[in-house]
Every structure is written in C-alpha cells, then in structure tokens.
Amino acid sequence: MIKGFEEYQLSNEISRALKLLKYENPTEVQSAVIPAALKKQDLVVKSQTGSGKTAAFGIPICEMIEWEEKKPQALILTPTRELAVQVQEDISNIGRFKRIKALAVYGKEPFSKQKEELKQKTHAVIGTPGRVMDHIDRGTLELDQIRFVIIDEADEMLNMGFINDVESIINELPSNRVTMVFSATLPKDVENLCYKYMKDPVNIEIATTGGIATDTIEHRVIEVQTENKMEILKDITVVENPDSCIIFCNTKDHVDTLFEELDKSGYSCEKLHGGLEQEDRFGVMNGFKIGNFRYLIATDVAARGIDVDNVTLVINYDVPAEKESYVHRTGRTGRSGNKGKAIMLATPYEGKFLKAIEKYIGFEILQMEAPLPEEVSKGKAAFEEKISGRRVVKNNKTARVNKDITKLHFNGGKKKKIRALDFVGTITKIPGVTAEDIGIITIKDSMSYVDILNGKGSLVLQAMENTTIKGKQLRVSKAIK
Ligand code: AMP
C-alpha cells in the first residue's frame, strides 16, 4: 500500500518544498525507494522515465545531506547534459528550504566556470561522466566526502559508451557510501557493474506499465506514404489542436526541414537537436517550459530528461529505430496524472521497427486513419485562433517553489573577507527576519548573492542599504538573474 510522505518523517524544510511542488503522495517507485534509501541501502532500481524516479533519490538525498559540510556529499551521474540540468533543478527545488546547493557539470560549458563554482560550498554535483572525470583528474572536484552516488539511466550510459568512465569514477569514490543505480532495463553489463561495486543491493522493480502508460496516454499509429507525411502531420495538428506538442524525428535533417516548413506556415515552433550550440539547446528547452512557443520539433535529444508540465501531444514523425526510444518519447506526455496522446506516422518500410516496439511495450498500438478533409476544415477556425495566441503555462514547479524568493546581490565577497556567517549574523538582526528566511548564500571573490525567502526580499533589501557587514557598507541590489 502506498503511504503518504508523512510516513517518512521528513524534515519540515523538505516537506514544505514537496507541498509547493504538489507532490502529495509518493509514486510507486518513491514508496519503494525512499524508505530503503533513508536506511542507507544500496539499490538497483528498474523503472521508467516519468515514474518520479528523480524525486525518489532526490528526496532522501536532500534529507540526509548535512548542510554544514562544504565538500560535495552526493554525486549523480547522468548520460546527457539535459538530464543533468533537469536533475539539478529537481534537487534544488526539493532542497530549496534546506538551502541545498546543487551544481550541474557537463561538457561544452567552460571548465573554468564550473571550477569556480565547485570552490563554493556544493552539496550535490550532477554531471555527465566525461566532465566529471575531467574535474576529478584536475583535482577540482573533491570526492572524500561523497556519501551518496546515483547512476541515473544506466542503460543509456551503456548505449552511449560511457560505462567505462562510470566505472573509473566509481573506483575513485570513498567505499563508505550509498550507491543507487536507476535504469529502465538491466542489460548484463549494467548488472555486472552493480554487483561489482555495490553492497548487497536491494532490487526494486517497478512494473513497466508505470512507464509506458496506457491509462493516461492514448497510443495511435497512422500508416502513411513518405511523400504524404508533411501534409498528414499538419492535418493532425489542426484536428488535435494541442496546447503543447513535441514532434520527434529520427534525424537532424528531418528536424530542420520540418521546422522550416512549420515556421513558414506560421506555427509557433522551435527546433532542438544535437547540432545546435549548448546555449541554444538550453534556451529552446527553457522557452518550451515557460510557454514561449507551442510546437517543439526535436530529435531524441529531447526524449529524456525534459520535464515540461503537460505536453498534450507527442507526434512521432518517424518511427524510432530504437524500441526504448518510443517509451522515452511518448513519456513526455501523460505525466503526473495528466492525459496525453501519442500519434506515430509509419511508412510500410518501418513495419519491422513498429513490430519491435509493440513487442517491447507489450501491446499493439491501435491504428487510426489520417484525418479526413472534412475533419480538417472543421477544426481550422479553432486551430487558427489557438496558433495566434500565446501558450499559457500553468503549474511551473520551479516558479512555484521560488515564488517568495528574492536573490540579492552585494558588491563584496571573499576579497573583503566576508563569509556566509557574516551575512546570516547581520541579516537576522533586521526586525522580523530570522535565519529561516535566508536561503542559499554564494560568496565570490568580489561579490556575493544571498537568497531571501518567504517574501522578505524587499524588507531585507531596504534594511541592508543602511547596514554594514563586518563594518563595511556594501552596495546591495536585486540580482538580475
Ligand atoms: P521523473 O520520472 O523523475 O522524470 O518524474 C516524472 C514527473 O513526475 C515529474 O514531472 C515530477 O516532477 C513528477 N513527480 C515526481 N514525484 C511526484 C509525486 N510524488 N507527485 C506528483 N508528481 C510527481
């Protein structure tokens, strides 16, 4: 039986964040993982994306992290940069009121920037194996206090050829640690790794129906000829008229072509594939999250790790060649109890891939006809109206958790010998402000950032304009970021 979060006797800080995130009851994987993780059990967890697995490890890690410790205590390895950033966001949200500092490190971002950030107190580091190795080799990531290690999407690490890097990293870690492996499938190489490096791991298996949801996602396939695909795609968007939609293609070229065509036809859309600069990729993902556009055209780069509230429609413009990919792509819709729809276009040549997917997911995807001309013309007016308006995003979790938080910028830091405690000491002297109202403090060489919680930002800002810290008057303002 699934119990409520109160069963785990989590601290007030964590419970408060869960309430704001609207996590009322643990998901199946959470109710299996959280109690075991709190007991510091090594775990091998077979569960799909969309099952709530990030919070399954995020909640116990945030609960067990010791805030005072300066060096990283949790290391989370992910196969992609996008997932690293998503996990960092989730951990920061869960740990917001405990002031947990989570940092994502991944390739393509300047090494020096991450090196500077790692010098600050950092509780959890989330990274891709290559960049984490770099930091270890160059001595910029200290490992002696690591007590929690998570290998997320281990099967994907294997597919991407990262498993040796993962093994080398594990070899560097303190032996007194809790290790958890999460994977949608458990190929032999992953299993071997688990048994080699874990202490009596407990196996947790969450039935795949949790991942490939049939109760919340309607799965359909339309048989098409290659030359008609574009037209049928457009007809589908008119008839379905989704609030938000991801269109998946197998290649960058298809994404580029589709984007050009839809953009020309006035769709509010953006594209995402591995050929774009990292900054642009994050920009596009963020834009989609906050509702800047309605249609995202993407390769599998977007199939994992993007957590957008309420993608209502997923279209597989191409049948994915990897059967697992179907699960990840369609898992972008029908999340956290919402209803979703997944429509796939399949040419006769793709029959064998379709069969492999159906075998893998354990059911036959229902066939449907391409939209009829009269359906398309009936839907046209509503479609035109929606496409000209802005997408309204409800429920942005991070925004909810950060609602009452103001980031203040001070023009002094380490060079002026200012430490976090100096800020705490000074700010808590302001009438009406307590230590509970202070969030993450980041001290750089010549500037500092202090998060003020509970809507008290303006109060603290005003007071600090006329208050010295360690005898020094610093300039204070709301941080731009
Ligand atoms: P994940 O499998 O980690 O990608 O999570 C899937 C989605 O479920 C994310 O949008 C989470 O924010 C959401 N989620 C995780 N745990 C819960 C919960 N206990 N209640 C409601 N939503 C949740």
Side-chain angles (χ1 to χ4, degrees):
M1 201 190 77
I2 290 186
K3 299 172 176 170
F5 281 116
E6 61 282 355
E7 298 288 329
Y8 310 133
Q9 307 196 326
L10 301 169
S11 60
N12 287 340
E13 288 98 338
I14 306 292
S15 307
R16 186 172 157 205
L18 297 185
K19 277 205 187 76
L20 281 175
L21 289 165
K22 303 224 165 98
Y23 294 178
E24 278 153 19
N25 289 303
T27 64
E28 201 182 343
V29 64
Q30 289 161 3
S31 65
V33 169
I34 296 173
L38 288 172
K39 284 193 205 122
K40 309 209 167 142
Q41 266 288 343
D42 278 3
L43 302 173
V44 179
V45 186
K46 196 170 156 192
S47 80
Q48 304 272 358
T49 177
S51 58
K53 67 184 168 61
T54 315
F57 62 78
I59 293 170
I61 286 184
C62 285
E63 181 69 27
M64 291 189 283
I65 275 174
E66 282 169 26
W67 187 82
E68 289 75 16
E69 174 58 53
K70 275 208 160 73
K71 295 184 189 170
Q73 298 162 63
L75 178 66
I76 299 154
L77 299 175
T78 68
T80 65
R81 302 173 209 142
E82 279 76 10
L83 185 57
V85 170
Q86 181 68 54
V87 171
Q88 187 234 1
E89 186 176 336
D90 288 352
I91 301 244
S92 302
N93 284 343
I94 294 167
R96 174 63 71 205
F97 301 107
K98 191 174 166 181
R99 293 180 282 147
I100 299 236
K101 180 88 184 293
L103 177 69
V105 297
Y106 43 80
K108 292 245 170 89
E109 197 186 58
F111 188 88
S112 54
K113 177 173 172 239
Q114 296 171 1
K115 179 178 157 189
E116 278 312 302
E117 293 190 88
L118 281 167
K119 284 188 190 158
Q120 305 275 335
K121 180 187 270 191
T122 304
H123 299 107
V125 173
I126 302 102
T128 47
R131 185 50 73 97
V132 169
M133 280 289 281
D134 277 359
H135 279 288
I136 296 175
D137 290 344
R138 300 204 220 168
T140 44
L141 171 60
E142 293 194 81
L143 300 174
D144 56 309
Q145 293 300 323
I146 296 280
R147 298 184 292 135
F148 309 102
V149 178
I150 312 292
I151 300 165
D152 199 7
E153 307 211 335
D155 50 349
E156 195 59 12
M157 298 271 198
L158 185 71
N159 289 342
M160 294 173 74
F162 294 158
I163 210 80
N164 291 337
D165 280 354
V166 171
E167 189 162 353
S168 316
I169 295 170
I170 296 180
N171 273 317
E172 301 281 328
L173 298 170
S175 55
N176 182 18
R177 57 160 202 264
V178 182
T179 311
M180 295 181 229
V181 171
F182 287 76
S183 203
T185 57
L186 280 182
K188 259 272 147 307
D189 288 355
V190 170
E191 227 169 329
N192 291 344
L193 189 78
C194 296
Y195 291 102
K196 196 160 159 197
Y197 293 102
M198 295 169 81
K199 282 179 266 163
D200 308 323
V202 173
N203 273 298
I204 292 177
E205 189 165 333
I206 305 300
T208 40
T209 42
I212 181 82
T214 45
D215 45 347
T216 53
I217 306 175
E218 221 183 297
H219 296 266
R220 294 288 181 272
V221 59
I222 304 179
E223 207 183 289
V224 295
Q225 299 300 327
T226 309
E227 59 277 18
N228 302 333
K229 277 169 81 169
M230 184 75 79
E231 195 187 328
I232 293 178
L233 171 84
K234 286 185 175 171
D235 287 351
I236 294 171
T237 59
V238 173
V239 172
E240 297 291 333
N241 198 12
D243 283 335
S244 60
C245 171
I246 305 183
I247 303 170
F248 281 106
C249 303
N250 287 358
T251 64
K252 278 189 248 181
D253 282 350
H254 280 187
V255 169
D256 286 334
T257 318
L258 225 61
F259 170 73
E260 220 168 281
E261 178 61 30
L262 295 188
D263 190 45
K264 207 170 66 196
S265 314
Y267 283 67
S268 140
C269 60
E270 282 292 348
K271 63 177 176 180
L272 189 65
H273 57 57
L276 303 174
E277 291 291 321
Q278 189 62 45
E279 278 301 298
D280 294 338
R281 276 162 69 172
F282 286 136
V284 169
M285 290 215 317
N286 233 353
F288 191 57
K289 272 191 190 175
I290 61 176
N292 287 349
F293 53 93
R294 204 177 288 278
Y295 290 86
L296 176 66
I297 307 147
T299 57
D300 281 303
V301 186
R304 281 168 184 262
I306 297 193
D307 181 16
V308 182
D309 289 326
N310 249 341
V311 173
T312 45
L313 176 66
V314 166
I315 300 176
N316 277 302
Y317 187 74
D318 301 314
V319 176
E322 306 255 339
K323 53 193 186 316
E324 293 86 358
S325 174
Y326 183 80
V327 177
H328 292 296
R329 290 180 180 187
T330 57
R332 301 301 106 198
T333 181
R335 289 167 88 79
S336 2
N338 291 307
K339 290 259 174 250
K341 198 164 184 178
I343 301 177
M344 179 154 68
L345 306 186
T347 61
Y349 314 106
E350 293 170 305
K352 67 170 192 290
F353 297 121
L354 178 60
K355 282 263 156 356
I357 290 168
E358 289 179 329
K359 186 156 172 248
Y360 179 66
I361 60 180
F363 62 90
E364 211 172 297
I365 304 175
L366 283 181
Q367 296 250 356
M368 72 179 238
E369 296 297 322
L372 298 168
E374 49 272 31
E375 289 175 298
V376 177
S377 44
K378 214 169 103 199
K380 206 83 193 173
F383 176 75
E384 298 289 346
E385 190 182 326
K386 195 178 264 185
I387 210 155
S388 58
R390 195 185 141 92
R391 195 178 124 208
V392 178
V393 179
K394 299 182 220 111
N395 260 340
N396 185 318
K397 292 189 200 79
T398 303
R400 239 177 9 241
V401 175
N402 287 334
K403 187 166 99 348
D404 297 323
I405 300 181
T406 311
K407 197 186 251 326
L408 295 183
H409 170 274
F410 291 85
N411 73 335
K414 281 187 206 150
K415 285 193 182 146
K416 292 195 173 149
K417 302 227 169 357
I418 290 176
R419 296 169 311 145
L421 273 182
D422 301 322
F423 279 108
V424 177
T426 311
I427 293 173
T428 49
K429 288 208 186 78
I430 301 170
V433 183
T434 68
E436 299 249 298
D437 301 322
I438 303 176
I440 293 176
I441 300 178
T442 310
I443 315 248
K444 305 208 166 183
D445 282 343
S446 41
M447 63 173 102
S448 307
Y449 293 99
V450 181
D451 283 351
I452 304 297
L453 318 182
N454 306 326
K456 295 191 183 164
S458 303
L459 173 69
V460 174
L461 176 67
Q462 252 181 15
M464 290 311 296
E465 280 168 355
N466 304 308
T467 310
T468 56
I469 300 173
K470 259 195 155 176
K472 298 175 189 91
Q473 180 69 58
L474 302 185
R475 207 156 2 98
V476 52
S477 56
K478 277 192 189 169
I480 298 157
K481 210 172 94 178

